[in-house]
């Protein structure tokens, strides 16, 4: 039988430590954002749980982890702002793989994703993917491991039929920008490689017309990440299948064809 002391010992002294104890009382989703970093000083974001980055040594070609997670281009910060608007207490962790533009290498992406899977975040948000099938194998293995650990990966794509990895994997929630979705709207495509469409803009910035702000599929994925985080708070300790089913129920069904 589970006694108060046996429960407390498990919560306090397990590998995850006191984090388990906190989660028993308040389910605060831990979310890794693999992007351009995050600026915690931005008014749409605020404090985050931490972060790090990756870079490639120009001489050796080896990928190295760095302590730099500050966002130089604002993309990851805009992603974080969407999530914080819907789930203010979400724990955000910045994994920086973009530096001065939105380009990176497959080894950096793979290493960043592998680290996040080992760390066992609740959600891993990806604003990118690869179209080369030869690069998809290692990503598929990581996505399989993530699902086995109860981690949900959410990744962007360019449309419901876009064969980009990992968004089109069956154990990943793929998302694209749907032109008809308002801020809180979702569209669900049954039996499509990329199942969800969402709003494609971040939060408005005062003084900047929204049409000149960031926009695109990455931000649609962020809206779905925020919806999932809210559902995880509403249904703590439920399996991912329950969360995904509820996400589908909260979406408009896309017409067939």
């Amino acid at each position: 039988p589970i006694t108060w002391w046996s429960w407390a010992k498990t919560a306090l002294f397990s590998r995850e430590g006191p984090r388990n104890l906190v989660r028993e009382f308040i389910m605060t989703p831990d979310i890794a954002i693999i992007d351009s970093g995050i600026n915690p000083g931005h008014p749409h974001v605020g404090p985050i749980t931490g972060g790090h980055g990756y870079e490639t040594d120009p001489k050796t070609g080896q990928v190295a982890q760095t302590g730099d997670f500050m966002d130089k281009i604002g993309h990851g910060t805009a992603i974080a702002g969407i999530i914080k608007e819907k789930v203010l207490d979400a724990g955000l962790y910045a994994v920086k793989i973009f530096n001065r533009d939105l380009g990176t290498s497959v080894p950096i992406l793979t290493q960043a994703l592998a680290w996040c899977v080992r760390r066992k975040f609740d959600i891993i948000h990806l604003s990118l993917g690869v179209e080369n099938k030869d690069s998809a194998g290692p990503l598929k293995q990581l996505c399989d491991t993530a699902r086995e650990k109860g981690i949900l990966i959410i990744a962007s794509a360019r449309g419901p039929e876009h064969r980009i990895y990992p968004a089109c994997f069956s154990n990943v929630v793929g998302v694209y920008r749907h032109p008809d979705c308002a801020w809180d709207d979702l569209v669900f495509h049954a039996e499509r490689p990329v199942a969800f469409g969402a709003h494609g803009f971040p939060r408005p910035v005062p003084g900047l017309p929204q049409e000149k702000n960031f926009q695109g599929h990455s931000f649609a994925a962020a809206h779905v990440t925020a919806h999932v985080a809210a559902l995880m708070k509403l249904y703590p300790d439920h399996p991912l299948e329950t969360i995904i089913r509820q996400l589908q129920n909260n979406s408009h069904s896309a017409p067939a064809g």
Side-chain angles (χ1 to χ4, degrees):
I2 298 175
T3 64
W4 181 90
W5 174 237
S6 65
W7 168 83
K9 284 194 296 182
T10 300
L12 286 169
F13 303 117
S14 67
R15 186 175 62 85
E16 291 288 329
R19 180 170 174 265
N20 287 333
L21 184 62
V22 173
R23 288 169 65 89
E24 288 290 332
F25 296 102
I26 303 175
M27 170 54 179
T28 302
D30 280 339
I31 304 170
I33 300 177
I34 302 178
D35 206 277
S36 62
I38 297 175
N39 176 11
H42 193 284
H44 288 173
V45 181
I48 64 175
T49 60
H52 68 271
Y54 291 92
E55 63 182 13
T56 302
D57 188 305
K59 294 182 179 179
T60 67
Q62 297 295 311
V63 175
Q65 185 171 319
T66 76
D68 175 27
F69 62 84
M70 288 302 297
D71 188 2
K72 294 184 175 66
I73 56 180
H75 192 270
T77 300
I79 295 288
I82 292 172
I83 299 168
K84 283 284 192 174
E85 191 272 340
K86 288 184 170 72
V87 185
L88 184 60
D89 61 347
L92 304 185
Y93 188 96
V95 181
K96 180 177 177 178
I97 63 170
F98 303 138
N99 192 11
R100 300 190 181 278
D101 57 42
L102 296 177
T104 190
S105 68
V106 173
I108 285 180
L109 168 60
T110 303
Q111 189 161 322
L113 182 57
W115 186 91
C116 291
V117 171
R118 290 195 302 272
R119 170 60 173 73
K120 293 182 65 175
F121 289 91
D122 298 303
I123 304 169
I124 300 173
H125 172 95
L126 278 168
S127 295
L128 74 160
V130 298
E131 294 177 316
N132 186 341
K133 286 186 178 180
D134 294 336
S135 302
L139 293 176
K140 180 64 166 62
Q141 293 176 1
L142 288 170
C143 292
D144 290 344
T145 302
R147 180 54 73 91
E148 290 169 2
K149 291 184 174 184
I151 302 167
L152 191 58
I153 297 175
I154 300 170
S156 62
R158 292 199 293 269
E161 299 290 350
H162 188 197
R163 292 288 178 177
I164 188 169
Y165 311 98
C168 70
F169 291 148
S170 60
N171 54 9
V172 171
V173 173
V175 189
Y176 74 100
R177 175 191 177 183
H178 193 291
D180 297 330
C181 282
W183 181 262
D184 284 321
D185 288 346
L186 300 175
V187 168
F188 173 64
H189 297 266
E191 307 301 328
R192 297 291 184 92
V194 176
F196 290 92
H199 189 70
F201 282 90
R203 294 168 70 176
V205 176
L208 180 69
Q210 188 71 326
E211 63 270 15
K212 294 185 178 180
N213 198 355
F214 284 117
Q215 56 182 286
H217 307 293
S218 300
F219 304 101
H223 281 279
V224 171
T225 295
H227 278 281
V228 169
L231 287 170
M232 285 183 172
K233 283 179 63 71
L234 190 60
Y235 301 101
D237 300 322
H238 280 63
L240 292 183
E241 289 74 18
T242 300
I243 302 299
I244 294 171
R245 191 181 311 114
Q246 192 60 47
L247 188 69
Q248 295 170 356
N249 293 340
N250 292 349
S251 304
H252 303 288
S253 294

